[in-house]
Amino acid sequence: MVDQLKIKSVLISVYSKEGISDLAKLLVSFNVKILSTGGTYSFLKNEGIPAVPIEEITSYPSILGGRVKTLHPKIFGGILWQRSELSDTEDVSRYEIPSIDMVIVDLYPFEKTVASTGDESEIIEKIDIGGISLIRAAAKNFRHVLVVPAAGLYGEVSDLLKSANGYTTLEQRKQFAARAFDVSSHYDTEIFRYFNRELKLPVFKQSYSDHVALRYGENPHQSGVFYGNLDDVFDQLHGKELSYNNLVDVEAAIQLIDEFNDPTVVIIKHTNPCGVASRPSLVEAWKDALACDPVSAFGGIISLNRPVDVESAKEINKLFFEIIIADEYENEALELLKSKKNRIILCRKPYTFAGRQFKSLLNGVIEQEKDLKVEEAEEFRHVTKKHPSPAEIPDLLFANRIVKHLKSNTIVLVRGRQLIGCGMGQTSRVDAMKQAILKAEVFGFDTRDAVMASDAFFPFADSVEIADKAGIRAVIQPGGSIRDEDSIQYCDEHNMSMVFTGIRHFKH
């Protein structure tokens, strides 16, 4: 097996012509013979770069509207030829198959086409056949062939060839082969996912080409990587690199703020909301969100659903926090928020998140639909003699939108569209209830006439009894316990209203 090989011939077949001219000229400077296809050949010819059209090799024209150009034994034989095998050498000689030492391909943009149109015929036409086959063949024969499977690698391969005067090593060819199979597997995965939108085959396939190495994982002794393109979701305007925990909290903040239409501020700490308020103005919403739990808000994540104005920025800037997320910032407000060197400022972009979520578990993956259900007042089932007042209904809806974003078991207390107390991650609903009331009392809130939301049903009447003694007058919960009647009866006897939604919101 020869470790170092001199490139003498290359096949170039690319969709995007950007950058290929410089690479082709470099290859010509090393006396490399260029074979090329259709549009690529025409482009190179116009650039004054000498190339041989593959029709001269195959004696076949491009047919079927250009869909069949390279699928020919003389092309694939030249790529797959094992130079060390005598029988291969004899076949190549007998059938006059040219040697191909390097293959450069840039595939049809299938993903971009899917993202830009719903026209199925146009999408299907962008499924590359010849290109993907060339990539796989060249990668398989990496011992003798260098494959460049995407335009993004032109710069790297150019540097490699310049440094070695047109030679490549076995290790280098193997590295590029691995990248080639990464490109081909990702391409095939995206095609499958397109077809499986309707078929819904019970198969789990995901592929992310973009990635960011994180400083560390959840803790400093754990490594971490984010796979995906964060630039699609937001622009980072200021601050240090986002960490693993930052990203987890950012997602929690975005998911919760998107529940609200009125001017709202959300403050997140360790994925749980410690402050939420909706008000006529952003600065009012900020002040009341912070009042929910100013201790936990320290070092938290702030998310807002209105442009950040100067007045709001002045108030927000008084607090030490790690990240702020908004759709827009006034110039003066942005400069004010940039006063802290490491503070992360994110500006959201319009982006539609996937409706499903997954995570690794045991020796596999679990996947589910996201909990996107939003209950409305028209869906309430009034189970008590007393019904919520017109003033209580908006608070019940507000509380119910928050409760599904806290770790179970959870209880949320709300008054005047302001979170005033919450208990989360408790092993019993009674403990969550007690924690929520204690939180409210610690920060000076009066729980009288507040409303309560629970993520799941009450197995006993003890939770509504505790709520009653704290002055809470209205309750929203899924219902569904075999002892629902106990809670209903207690509410009726103590002049409380309670509605069932029929929808549980566990979060683990």
Side-chain angles (χ1 to χ4, degrees):
M1 185 187 301
V2 180
D3 181 62
Q4 284 213 339
L5 290 177
K6 177 77 166 68
I7 296 172
K8 298 177 181 178
S9 61
V10 60
L11 171 61
I12 305 178
S13 180
V14 296
Y15 178 84
S16 172
K17 310 304 185 289
E18 186 176 353
I20 194 60
S21 179
D22 290 339
L23 179 54
K25 288 176 181 177
L26 176 65
L27 290 167
V28 170
S29 74
F30 292 128
N31 297 315
V32 176
K33 180 181 180 180
I34 297 176
L35 311 179
S36 194
T37 63
T40 305
Y41 171 75
S42 298
F43 175 81
L44 295 175
K45 184 179 178 181
N46 290 336
E47 291 285 302
I49 299 170
V52 177
I54 61 165
E55 289 84 355
E56 289 188 13
I57 307 299
T58 65
S59 299
Y60 253 91
S62 173
I63 62 173
L64 304 181
R67 292 193 297 278
V68 179
K69 298 186 286 284
T70 58
L71 297 170
H72 193 281
K74 283 199 172 184
I75 300 301
F76 281 84
I79 297 170
L80 290 167
W81 170 31
Q82 298 281 352
R83 277 66 165 172
S84 57
E85 291 291 330
L86 179 59
S87 60
D88 279 16
T89 302
E90 290 173 347
D91 284 343
V92 165
S93 177
R94 181 182 304 117
Y95 298 108
E96 299 180 340
I97 297 173
S99 175
I100 298 175
D101 308 313
M102 181 178 183
V103 172
I104 303 173
V105 173
D106 184 64
L107 296 169
Y108 290 166
F110 179 81
E111 276 186 271
K112 289 182 179 178
T113 305
V114 171
S116 64
T117 182
D119 184 341
E120 182 168 272
S121 61
E122 185 178 346
I123 290 169
I124 299 303
E125 195 60 31
K126 287 299 187 290
I127 297 177
D128 205 312
I129 303 300
I132 204 79
S133 301
L134 291 171
I135 287 174
R136 290 177 62 84
K140 178 178 180 178
N141 199 21
F142 67 87
R143 290 180 178 86
H144 306 282
V145 179
L146 174 67
V147 59
V148 183
L153 295 171
Y154 293 169
E156 185 175 341
V157 78
S158 295
D159 292 342
L160 182 155
L161 295 173
K162 288 175 184 176
S163 66
N165 200 32
Y167 282 82
T168 63
T169 66
L170 178 62
E171 181 182 353
Q172 290 165 343
R173 294 192 297 274
K174 191 171 184 178
Q175 287 176 351
F176 274 84
R179 293 180 177 186
F181 284 119
D182 174 41
V183 169
S184 66
S185 64
H186 177 78
Y187 198 78
D188 285 341
T189 296
E190 292 307 306
I191 293 170
F192 168 77
R193 282 164 52 81
Y194 170 74
F195 280 95
N196 207 39
R197 289 178 178 183
E198 295 182 3
L199 295 176
K200 307 294 184 186
L201 297 176
V203 178
F204 180 82
K205 288 187 186 294
Q206 295 286 339
S207 178
Y208 296 95
S209 294
D210 297 308
H211 72 281
V212 177
L214 304 174
R215 295 197 304 274
Y216 51 80
E218 204 161 4
N219 298 290
H221 64 277
Q222 297 170 266
S223 61
V225 181
F226 174 81
Y227 293 99
N229 189 355
L230 292 171
D231 292 337
D232 290 342
V233 181
F234 48 69
D235 288 321
Q236 182 167 346
L237 306 180
H238 184 72
K240 62 185 179 180
E241 292 180 358
L242 287 157
S243 70
Y244 181 102
N245 291 333
N246 287 157
L247 290 171
V248 174
D249 284 338
V250 165
E251 183 189 44
I254 288 174
Q255 287 181 346
L256 181 52
I257 196 67
D258 284 351
E259 296 278 1
F260 304 100
N261 296 318
D262 293 333
T264 302
V265 174
V266 165
I267 307 172
I268 295 288
K269 195 70 170 287
H270 296 304
T271 74
N272 286 305
C274 58
V276 186
S278 292
R279 291 292 181 265
S281 71
L282 195 65
V283 68
E284 293 175 274
W286 162 251
K287 290 177 180 178
D288 287 344
L290 179 61
C292 300
D293 184 349
V295 174
S296 297
F298 185 85
I301 314 297
I302 303 167
S303 188
L304 315 93
N305 65 356
R306 290 293 188 278
V308 180
D309 54 71
V310 176
E311 184 182 10
S312 299
K314 286 180 179 178
E315 293 298 322
I316 294 170
N317 199 48
K318 295 175 182 178
L319 177 76
F320 169 75
F321 61 90
E322 281 211 51
I323 302 173
I324 185 168
I325 313 161
D327 294 342
E328 190 179 341
Y329 300 84
E330 291 182 1
N331 290 335
E332 189 178 341
L334 180 59
E335 292 307 310
L336 181 62
L337 293 170
K338 284 181 177 180
S339 60
K340 302 296 182 182
K341 178 182 177 182
N342 291 325
R343 178 182 288 164
I344 297 169
I345 303 175
L346 304 178
C347 186
R348 289 183 65 181
K349 297 178 179 179
Y351 186 83
T352 302
F353 292 97
R356 301 189 69 82
Q357 58 189 168
F358 58 88
K359 64 179 178 180
S360 60
L361 191 79
L362 298 174
N363 62 340
V365 172
I366 53 174
E367 182 185 25
Q368 67 171 356
E369 294 179 1
K370 286 184 177 177
D371 185 1
L372 301 176
K373 173 65 177 173
V374 177
E375 296 84 353
E376 301 296 344
E378 297 76 19
E379 302 172 78
F380 288 173
R381 183 158 72 91
H382 298 272
V383 294
T384 51
K385 294 176 182 176
K386 181 182 179 182
H387 288 195
S389 69
E392 289 171 333
I393 287 176
D395 279 357
L396 289 170
L397 292 169
F398 189 88
N400 202 51
R401 291 187 179 213
I402 297 172
V403 80
K404 73 177 185 180
H405 293 273
L406 283 83
K407 296 291 177 68
S408 301
N409 290 307
T410 183
I411 294 290
V412 164
L413 305 182
V414 164
R415 190 175 63 195
R417 296 195 303 165
Q418 178 188 25
L419 175 67
I420 65 169
C422 57
M424 78 289 283
Q426 299 300 306
T427 53
S428 80
R429 203 151 299 281
V430 167
D431 286 344
M433 184 77 239
K434 291 177 178 178
Q435 184 188 42
I437 293 171
L438 178 61
K439 275 276 190 183
E441 291 174 346
V442 165
F443 294 108
F445 291 103
D446 189 345
T447 56
R448 287 177 295 179
D449 299 324
V451 307
M452 174 179 75
S454 174
D455 63 328
F457 64 64
F458 298 122
F460 304 100
D462 45 10
S463 292
V464 291
E465 181 179 353
I466 296 170
D468 171 46
K469 291 177 179 176
I472 295 163
R473 311 290 0 127
V475 179
I476 184 169
Q477 59 133 321
S481 168
I482 59 173
R483 302 189 65 166
D484 275 345
E485 194 56 41
D486 291 354
S487 297
I488 294 170
Q489 183 178 341
Y490 185 94
C491 288
D492 282 340
E493 290 173 354
H494 294 82
N495 198 34
M496 297 173 68
S497 66
M498 184 163 62
V499 297
F500 285 0
T501 65
I503 303 295
R504 190 182 73 183
H505 289 295
F506 269 170
K507 184 178 181 185
H508 292 91

